[in-house]
Amino acid sequence: MFRTTFSAAAIAVSTTALSAFPAAAESFSWAGTTDPQTMDPHAVNAAPVLSFLNNIYEGLVRRGPDMGVEPSLATSWEALPDGAGWRFTLREGVTFHDGAAFNADDVIFSYERAASEASDVRSWFAPVTEVVRVDDFTVDFLTAAPNPLFPGSIANFMILDSDWAAGNGAELPARDAENFATRNANGTGPFSLAGRDPGIETRLVPNEGWWDMAEHNLTEAVFTPIGNPATGLAALLSGEIDFISPIPLQDVEQVESRDGFKVLSGLETRVIMLGFGHDHETLKYSEETTDANPFLDARVRLAVAQAIDVATIDRVIMRDAAEPASQLLPEGLSGWSAAHAERPTFDAEAAKTLLAEAGYPDGFSFGLMCPNDRYINDEAVCRAVASMLARVGIEANVNAMPVRGYWDELRSDNFDMYLLGWSPGTFDAEHPIRFLAHTPNERLGTWNFGGFSSARIDELLEPIQQEIDEAARQAMIDEVAGILQEEVAYVPLYTEPLIWAMKESVEVVQRPDNFFMLRWVTVN
């Protein structure tokens, strides 16, 4: 009933990567713009970290090439009577990379660690009241109410060895500092960590004792972060690396025209949006408006939406590779609201009228925070937005910075408006509602940096999580989508494209969440 569906454009799968007869073993080198900032799977809830660590660590369940939920460290799961939670039967005979045996104690330890206040992923477990050890290979996740989405919602919940963590002083994750798990790892996954030089190189080698059948043919995999797009492209075309993601959109034709190279493209399930400081009484970075926050007025927020020409951003900056977005998740995913498919019409004159009605006929200045190495052309998009807003009298002072420090700035409220990309980990509308739309507290709204708050959305989240009747559930999601649009809680811009470039000899599976899984890579 809750099976995720995708539009045809949302998935691109290289089926040749799933050959049952991999080619001769090879070394593989790949690059990306962002280095995973930690090896701790509970410390940072960000795609570059979770994607990378899914090669080393495993969860109870995982997602396959078609994004369906399939067994991993749990061989099966079933709902407990009366909707009390879920029982997971664990896989026997699994060992961690250091040879230690996996059992229920590791699951309970990892849950307590991931659900702790020190964790950045604790919101995944907001519905959970307790985890019970039934026996060595059976655990029950008890939930406050029936939760049919729960198994899929923990596909990125990765299991640590409890003894290894305790023996190395890593009982809790270190989000804003470091501990042993920041630079070291001990999972059960298909690859183990062989070397880590943050910002320079991370080397993985196959786990010869992995419980599953290896579909790759790699002898080692070396990741290098390359922040400069031109440098990264040159490294690929010179043969220094085998794969890079992403490449500049303007360079796609160049790669495709070169013998021995290819591009795999599609749409990511990530919506790029603008957020506001809803809980800021005043602007922090205005030159003249220092005693008020115009963005507290929904008319001003709508003026921002109407002043931005998303079609031009797509054509000029994204090379027609993006897709305009109206909601916090892209069309084609479970829960997308057809009733709210339209985004605000680009209309600069209407935006000026709204600003005048709100008391800002001459506009105002503000600070726009933006990363410059996290999303495709992120800084260029922010500067285009600033130019468009200037035409209606809103002057944006753009502060673009590397993503390594960006989240800290947002968590410290150092913004008036900010750029954010969000990919729903469950491929369902409940996910952005939980993270981005719920009033922030210890476990919910944890990426709602601007502090948007709606009592009605807060009220609807739990029944959305519990409802099994599709029509009734969709009606509630439609109501939430309507509130978010009416309040202009965010300004969704577009769904981000996926642009992967590689040598012709490399076969991969391109998941729409932009997770790069080495277990499906072959080098011919």
Side-chain angles (χ1 to χ4, degrees):
M1 181 171 294
F2 290 95
R3 184 176 181 271
T4 303
T5 58
F6 300 89
S7 61
I11 287 186
V13 174
S14 174
T15 56
T16 54
L18 301 181
S19 168
F21 303 100
E26 296 284 350
S27 178
F28 176 72
S29 59
W30 89 106
T33 56
T34 304
D35 190 48
Q37 62 198 84
T38 180
M39 295 291 100
D40 190 326
H42 307 148
V44 177
N45 184 15
V49 173
L50 300 178
S51 170
F52 192 92
L53 293 183
N54 260 280
N55 294 297
I56 299 173
Y57 288 100
E58 294 176 299
L60 300 179
V61 302
R62 67 186 184 190
R63 292 193 181 274
D66 64 352
M67 303 312 299
V69 177
E70 62 184 33
S72 184
L73 293 182
T75 57
S76 63
W77 50 94
E78 60 181 350
L80 294 172
D82 302 320
W86 289 85
R87 171 163 293 179
F88 290 84
T89 300
L90 307 182
R91 190 177 301 277
E92 300 186 33
V94 174
T95 58
F96 289 92
H97 295 152
D98 67 354
F102 159 77
N103 61 33
D105 294 335
D106 302 305
V107 176
I108 293 175
F109 165 78
S110 296
Y111 158 73
E112 292 172 346
R113 190 179 192 271
S116 69
E117 290 187 8
S119 170
D120 198 34
V121 303
R122 62 188 183 279
S123 59
W124 296 349
F125 303 100
V128 177
T129 58
E130 186 182 5
V131 178
V132 177
R133 183 187 194 280
V134 178
D135 58 41
D136 281 353
F137 294 98
T138 310
V139 292
D140 288 348
F141 281 75
L142 305 182
T143 55
N147 194 312
L149 293 173
F150 183 72
S153 75
I154 58 169
N156 289 320
F157 164 47
M158 295 176 241
I159 307 301
L160 274 71
D161 175 23
S162 56
D163 291 336
W164 177 84
N168 290 291
E171 293 92 337
L172 292 174
R175 186 178 69 184
D176 302 317
E178 284 197 9
N179 63 20
F180 189 77
T182 304
R183 300 190 182 217
N184 300 275
N186 183 33
T188 60
F191 289 82
S192 61
L193 182 64
R196 168 77 170 156
D197 189 358
I200 305 298
E201 178 183 282
T202 304
R203 190 165 64 89
L204 306 180
V205 295
N207 173 15
E208 301 299 336
W210 190 38
W211 58 268
D212 202 359
M213 182 182 71
E215 298 178 52
H216 65 84
N217 69 332
L218 307 182
T219 55
E220 68 172 356
V222 180
F223 175 78
T224 303
I226 304 177
N228 184 289
T231 303
L233 183 62
L236 175 69
L237 297 180
S238 69
E240 184 180 343
I241 59 175
D242 301 306
F243 172 100
I244 189 169
S245 169
I247 61 167
L249 293 164
Q250 63 268 24
D251 293 328
V252 169
E253 290 185 8
Q254 177 188 355
V255 175
E256 291 181 329
S257 67
R258 292 281 295 268
D259 288 340
F261 297 92
K262 62 185 177 182
V263 174
L264 191 59
S265 61
L267 278 178
E268 189 177 358
T269 54
R270 182 178 306 280
V271 170
I272 303 297
M273 67 193 78
L274 296 171
F276 304 95
H278 292 276
D279 57 1
H280 298 181
E281 294 184 2
T282 60
L283 293 176
K284 296 177 180 289
Y285 298 99
S286 179
E287 297 171 1
E288 78 297 319
T289 307
T290 58
D291 59 348
N293 179 6
F295 295 130
L296 295 182
D297 191 320
R299 293 171 295 184
V300 174
R301 301 195 295 270
L302 181 57
V304 169
Q306 291 197 300
I308 298 173
D309 185 352
V310 174
T312 295
I313 290 175
D314 180 30
R315 185 180 71 255
V316 176
I317 300 177
M318 307 306 290
R319 303 294 178 107
D320 290 319
E323 187 73 27
S326 64
Q327 299 166 41
L328 303 186
L329 77 167
E331 182 176 359
L333 267 63
S334 173
W336 184 81
S337 178
H340 299 91
E342 298 299 320
R343 66 180 321 281
T345 303
F346 167 57
D347 190 335
E349 292 306 313
K352 292 178 182 178
T353 300
L354 285 168
L355 288 172
E357 291 176 359
Y360 298 95
D362 299 322
F364 56 92
S365 63
F366 73 98
L368 172 58
M369 296 290 289
C370 190
N372 59 18
D373 62 354
R374 176 61 188 95
Y375 313 116
I376 295 176
N377 294 337
D378 41 15
E379 182 176 355
V381 168
C382 281
R383 297 201 180 279
V385 165
S387 177
M388 293 170 181
L389 293 179
R391 295 172 189 167
V392 302
I394 308 176
E395 299 289 338
N397 300 308
V398 178
N399 184 1
M401 66 183 65
V403 72
R404 177 172 289 274
Y406 185 64
W407 306 129
D408 290 338
E409 293 295 316
L410 297 191
R411 289 191 178 98
S412 300
D413 277 344
N414 291 331
F415 63 86
D416 295 323
M417 186 192 297
Y418 61 94
L419 188 77
L420 178 69
W422 193 259
S423 179
T426 58
F427 301 89
D428 183 271
E430 178 271 343
H431 193 270
I433 295 172
R434 173 165 36 116
F435 281 94
L436 303 182
H438 193 283
T439 303
N441 60 36
E442 287 187 357
R443 286 196 168 190
L444 299 171
T446 51
W447 283 69
N448 180 0
F449 298 114
F452 173 77
S453 181
S454 164
R456 180 57 177 161
I457 291 179
D458 294 353
E459 179 185 354
L460 285 171
L461 177 58
E462 190 170 301
I464 285 172
Q465 292 174 327
Q466 300 170 16
E467 183 59 64
I468 61 174
D469 180 87
E470 278 194 58
R473 185 175 190 268
Q474 188 61 52
M476 291 187 286
I477 292 174
D478 288 345
E479 183 178 351
V480 170
I483 294 171
L484 292 173
Q485 284 190 347
E486 182 179 358
E487 293 291 327
V488 199
Y490 295 87
V491 178
L493 299 176
Y494 55 85
T495 301
E496 185 169 65
L498 280 172
I499 308 292
W500 293 5
M502 66 208 78
K503 293 178 180 177
E504 189 72 37
S505 59
V506 175
E507 298 293 345
V508 301
V509 171
Q510 187 180 65
R511 281 181 23 171
D513 58 0
N514 203 17
F515 276 32
F516 184 66
M517 309 306 293
L518 290 169
R519 71 176 186 268
W520 296 322
V521 174
T522 57
V523 181
N524 298 312

